[in-house]
Amino acid sequence: MPSNKSVSDAPIVQFTNCRILRDHQLQREDLWVREGKILNPEKLFFDEKGSADVQLDCKDSIIAPGFIDVQINGGFGVDFSLATDDFKSGIDLVSQKILSHGVTSFCPTLVTSPPSVYHQVLPQISVRNGGAHGAGILGAHLEGPFISKEKKGAHPEHCLRTFEAGAFQDLLATYGSLDCVQIVTLAPEMSRSSEVIQELTKRGICVSLGHSVANLSQAEEAVQHGATFITHLFNAMLPFHHRDPGIVGLLTSDKIPAGRRVFYGMISDGIHTNPAALRIAHRAHPKGLVLVTDAIAGMGLAPGRHTLGQQVVEIDGLNTYIAGTKTLSGSVATMDTCVRHFQEATGCSVETALEAASLHPAQLLGIEHKKGTLNYDSDADFLMLNDSLYVQATYIAGKEVWRQDGLGM
């Protein structure tokens, strides 16, 4: 078939011999990419009379959308909650290293910190596309400091804050700027939280409920005002009780506004959540489950002492504790590990496990028209995986940015 270059001179790459995750199913078809976007082959053939310039044999790999991590505190020795002179090089290092774990975009997460840290760090985080330099940055996730003292978890108590008379102005003064902020985690039982949730939502910022002692009606009210996410379900919230299930009850609440979906993050590392709890949540509300790593600076490093913002933490195997305590403090699990553990623990389909780390976080952030799927005209951010869901290669905008050694094509 002659190639018609009148539409675009950019090369067309055809990925063959693969199973593509599309419409919630692994489908045996080819993937066509041009100029960083996924092409509709019918339009290419019939409208442009075009054909592939390059063909790549995927050797029966699974092709799935790139993973999106909306809660990652750092990794590989870098802590996003520490204001350092070389903060930019730190974020660059993490964005490069997580490519090998299938993450093609992420929200760098700051735990509860003094205002000075937000004022120094946030101006150094900018939303950017991914590429050979590393995963794309979707905006910051600010977890705290407007959270409950009783459920502070690994967050330093002396930095916690409440909403005073100014409410939203207090929040702005604390953070300094919301320019690059994508998600804010707060405790909805705090007085004046409703007006803050409404103001954040108006600005297109996702509000997440977490580190909280809220009862179900307080959580439902927060959702009615615009909250759409739950930060690491089961962790740092009241345990489920049959007379008042608390925030956990949002998974089956009948008070969610029509057309709205509540999403919830889960740290599927085998430590933070018992497999039975993972199964309960998944069966109760499968379309809301978003896998997050909640990874800290110690991810990718040897056991020992590391930091999480203002705190010292100790890593012992896959367990991470505030030094000298048994309080869990983030994880050292990588996203591909979380996907495999989730599939094993719940017995869900491969498609479901992959979508929990790609489609669902994209839907949460309202970017599913370009990320988290392999639909036509979406960004060509995708992974090649084997049947055991180990990442073999990572692509951003249709270009290979990481490949497992020895898997030449």
Side-chain angles (χ1 to χ4, degrees):
M1 211 187 294
S3 178
N4 176 353
K5 295 295 184 185
S6 62
V7 176
S8 170
D9 288 333
I12 296 165
V13 182
Q14 177 188 8
F15 294 82
T16 66
N17 189 17
C18 52
R19 290 158 291 155
I20 301 174
L21 177 55
R22 187 176 280 150
D23 296 329
H24 318 297
Q25 298 267 304
L26 285 178
Q27 306 187 13
R28 192 164 279 288
E29 55 185 82
D30 294 352
L31 186 76
W32 300 74
V33 174
R34 176 174 60 198
E35 289 186 313
K37 300 283 183 192
I38 293 166
L39 284 181
N40 180 342
E42 283 193 13
K43 278 191 182 167
L44 176 66
F45 299 151
F46 297 114
D47 298 353
E48 297 183 35
K49 307 284 188 281
S51 61
D53 297 288
V54 181
Q55 280 189 328
L56 289 175
D57 181 353
C58 301
K59 301 173 181 165
D60 204 35
S61 296
I62 292 169
I63 291 192
F67 298 149
I68 299 169
D69 193 352
V70 299
Q71 187 176 8
I72 170 171
N73 310 291
F76 316 100
V78 176
D79 184 342
F80 297 146
S81 302
L82 285 185
T84 57
D85 292 339
D86 59 349
F87 182 85
K88 281 195 162 130
S89 61
I91 209 165
D92 288 348
L93 176 75
V94 174
S95 62
Q96 175 69 49
K97 293 271 198 181
I98 57 180
L99 295 174
S100 66
H101 302 294
V103 177
T104 53
S105 42
F106 69 109
C107 294
T109 304
L110 277 72
V111 296
T112 295
S113 304
S116 59
V117 169
Y118 298 114
H119 294 194
Q120 280 178 269
V121 168
L122 289 179
Q124 298 187 71
I125 297 176
S126 48
V127 174
R128 69 181 188 206
N129 292 327
H133 58 273
I137 296 174
L138 300 170
H141 177 169
L142 304 181
E143 188 188 359
F146 301 98
I147 57 172
S148 154
K149 190 166 71 170
E150 293 83 359
K151 292 292 177 185
K152 67 183 187 296
H155 292 238
E157 188 170 329
H158 69 278
C159 295
L160 299 183
R161 298 173 84 86
T162 54
F163 297 121
E164 302 304 331
F168 188 68
Q169 291 309 313
D170 297 336
L171 177 139
L172 272 181
T174 301
Y175 296 146
S177 164
L178 293 172
D179 288 352
C180 69
V181 176
Q182 182 72 255
I183 303 172
V184 171
T185 293
L186 53 76
E189 70 276 14
M190 287 185 139
S191 70
R192 315 204 63 155
S193 66
S194 291
E195 59 192 273
V196 171
I197 292 169
Q198 286 173 299
E199 285 292 336
L200 288 169
T201 306
K202 243 190 256 175
R203 287 164 168 74
I205 293 170
C206 164
V207 175
S208 189
L209 311 179
H211 289 276
S212 162
V213 292
N215 60 33
L216 178 56
S217 66
Q218 288 168 324
E220 287 169 335
E221 189 184 342
V223 170
Q224 285 151 11
H225 284 115
T228 52
F229 194 38
I230 303 169
T231 295
H232 45 53
L233 187 78
F234 298 125
N235 294 111
M237 59 188 61
L238 291 178
F240 179 89
H241 187 281
H242 58 285
R243 277 193 291 278
D244 191 335
I247 289 177
V248 177
L250 287 176
L251 270 61
T252 54
S253 167
D254 58 359
K255 304 274 192 321
I256 308 297
R260 179 92 55 79
R261 186 185 304 177
V262 173
F263 292 89
Y264 58 96
M266 294 214 79
I267 310 165
S268 167
D269 61 353
I271 306 289
H272 278 77
T273 317
N274 185 284
L278 256 182
R279 288 191 285 274
I280 286 170
H282 175 246
R283 288 175 194 173
H285 184 27
K287 289 188 169 151
L289 194 148
V290 172
L291 291 178
V292 298
T293 59
D294 198 18
I296 63 169
M299 176 177 70
L301 301 181
R305 289 199 160 207
H306 302 282
T307 65
L308 176 60
Q310 311 297 303
Q311 311 265 49
V312 176
V313 298
E314 289 178 327
I315 298 176
D316 176 14
L318 279 178
N319 292 290
T320 60
Y321 303 111
I322 293 179
T325 75
K326 286 296 175 190
T327 300
L328 284 173
S329 57
S331 89
V332 287
T334 57
M335 184 59 92
D336 53 326
T337 304
C338 290
V339 170
R340 289 190 295 271
H341 176 72
F342 171 59
Q343 202 230 341
E344 192 181 325
T346 61
C348 70
S349 67
V350 163
E351 292 94 330
T352 297
L354 292 168
E355 286 186 344
S358 55
L359 175 64
H360 295 177
Q363 290 171 327
L364 164 72
L365 299 178
I367 56 172
E368 70 272 23
H369 57 292
K370 50 182 183 173
K371 306 271 185 202
T373 77
L374 298 178
N375 293 343
Y376 304 139
D377 298 322
S378 296
D379 293 350
D381 297 356
F382 57 88
L383 314 174
M384 283 185 198
L385 306 110
N386 64 18
D387 285 353
S388 302
L389 300 186
Y390 282 87
V391 180
Q392 298 173 313
T394 303
Y395 285 75
I396 292 182
K399 297 210 161 53
E400 183 182 297
V401 292
W402 179 84
R403 172 166 292 278
Q404 179 73 48
D405 288 346
L407 281 174
M409 225 180 228

